[in-house]
Amino acid sequence: MRTMQGWLHDTAGGLPRTFWYLWTGTLINRLGSFILIFIAIYLTQERDFSAAQAGLVLGLWGVGGAVGTTVGGTLADRWGRRPTLLTAHLGAASLMLALGFARDLWLIALGALLLGLFAEAARPAFGAMMIDVVPAKDRLRAFSLNYWAINLGFACAAVLAGFATEAGYLLLFVVNAVTTLITALIIFFKVSETHQPVVATAGGPKAQTGALRAILSDRVYLGFVTLNLFAALVFLQHISMLPIAMGDSGLSPATYGSVIALNGVLIVVGQLFVPRLIKGRSRSHVLALSAVVLGCGFGLTAFAETAWFYGLTVLIWTIGEMLNSPSNATLIAELSPNELRGRYQGVFSLSWQIAGAAAPVLGGLVREGAGNATLWMGCALIGGLVAVAHLISGPTRERRAAALRAVNQPAPPTPVGQQRATEAGEASLVTSPGSPPTENAAGAPAGEAR
């Protein structure tokens, strides 16, 4: 009993109350996340769209998401995390209902574009708020717990939605909208603003005007984001091409729901143990292993024909996903300057949205032009290349993270006598004409002092 209590405390103890409100909102929202799971099946079977038309709609969803994450990251830093989250969730809930009633292709395409924009605008604000409220030493387990909630909801949603389709697809849109609205209400009543504006000092960053330049000059971070983009192109095939492949094998939507639910079930069972498993290990090695396992899982899909074989492939690539998520989350937090957290989160989310737009289109083209087996073996090849890139670029990322931690670390308290002498020296600098302003190391712009 003591061992179990100790494990529970080490896993979930001591985290801020705001984190648990966010965690609860995540769980509720994901419990109703029916549409993203079944959108490909809905478009091809219920609306009788072709695979190319379905790919277009999914691609527009990704395009909207790309715009949403960019706008959401900027608003999270300028407007605040809380108002950005509320606006994004309320807009997403409204558009979810509108999309459920749309029938014409152009209306569904427009609805998917706008829904992607609002739904994904919440992502960078949410990530920035998590970093705001959770101390650095607790972020690995906090992000793991949040990821656990995402997948607990996902597993339940996949199974429930598979059966709910028998009552009509409109029910999926309604439930998804209601859970999104409940999440907005939790944020409205229980979550306060966490963003603390950074006061610019002489020689310090100009966070608002120089944000884009700072990010574009941060080659280390952009390289990390690029690797995530390629991994996401592989991973997101489970939403676009996997259900179509299972349909070609004669398997029903309910079977797809049950098979894909294995992804959430495995994460729910195992994700709470992953932080201990990878703690103290090289994040570059963990991310490389994750890419290899992810590629192998999707590569084996080329040989799947039965439900159990598809389920086996899902279990394999899920292990890769479990290793990837917490390492990614902590790296984003450590590579993001405090004053640009929202924007850095937005850029990382942008890689997912670009992949969301490109994955169904590229997957469909490869599948139709070169065959199903070529698509999945190509996924395996990409996974291997991403793994090699992580091993090569990892040491540089860790040096950047260490430098940024040192820059942002509060200075130790100065002894009283020394402090008086320092203050006297600073006073003489202030009164001396032509004295240059002192540099604020803690506010060095991204990409310059690390």
Side-chain angles (χ1 to χ4, degrees), residues 22 61 63 117 146 151 158 215 265 271 276 352 393 407:
L22 294 172
W61 186 316
V63 170
L117 190 154
N146 189 67
N151 285 277
I215 295 173
V265 170
Q271 188 66 42
R276 282 194 170 188
W352 281 100
S393 62
V407 167

Side-chain angles (χ1 to χ4, degrees), residues 234 290-300 317 376 379-384:
V234 174
S290 164
V292 169
V293 176
L294 192 72
C296 289
F298 279 98
L300 286 173
W317 58 253
W376 302 116
C379 289
L381 176 61
I382 292 174

Side-chain angles (χ1 to χ4, degrees), residues 234-250:
V234 174
F235 177 72
L236 291 177
Q237 298 301 325
H238 82 279
I239 295 175
S240 54
M241 293 299 109
L242 180 59
I244 295 175
M246 291 183 66
D248 290 346
S249 298

Side-chain angles (χ1 to χ4, degrees), residues 86-245:
L86 288 172
T87 302
H89 280 89
L90 292 174
S94 301
L95 286 163
M96 196 76 67
L97 289 175
L99 188 60
F101 288 102
R103 293 295 179 267
D104 296 334
L105 175 60
W106 73 271
L107 277 176
I108 292 177
L110 178 61
L113 177 70
L114 294 176
L115 179 58
L117 190 154
F118 277 93
E120 298 303 327
R123 191 183 298 271
F126 183 91
M129 183 173 276
M130 289 271 287
I131 298 173
D132 289 342
V133 301
V134 178
K137 63 183 179 63
D138 295 325
R139 284 174 188 159
L140 177 62
R141 59 195 184 100
F143 279 107
S144 295
L145 283 168
N146 189 67
Y147 195 61
W148 183 83
I150 289 173
N151 285 277
L152 175 60
F154 176 84
C156 295
V159 175
L160 293 175
F163 293 104
T165 54
E166 299 177 4
Y169 280 92
L170 180 60
L171 180 62
L172 305 185
F173 290 92
V174 172
V175 173
N176 211 152
V178 169
T179 55
T180 303
L181 180 59
I182 292 174
T183 303
L185 292 175
I186 291 174
I187 294 170
F188 182 78
F189 287 107
K190 295 295 185 180
V191 177
S192 302
E193 179 58 57
T194 62
H195 180 46
Q196 298 295 328
V198 177
V199 179
T201 59
K206 296 180 180 179
Q208 306 301 333
T209 59
L212 180 60
R213 183 179 61 183
I215 295 173
L216 292 179
S217 66
D218 195 340
R219 297 179 182 178
V220 173
Y221 188 74
L222 292 181
F224 170 61
V225 170
T226 301
L227 292 181
N228 185 74
L229 168 62
F230 281 101
L233 286 172
V234 174
F235 177 72
L236 291 177
Q237 298 301 325
H238 82 279
I239 295 175
S240 54
M241 293 299 109
L242 180 59
I244 295 175

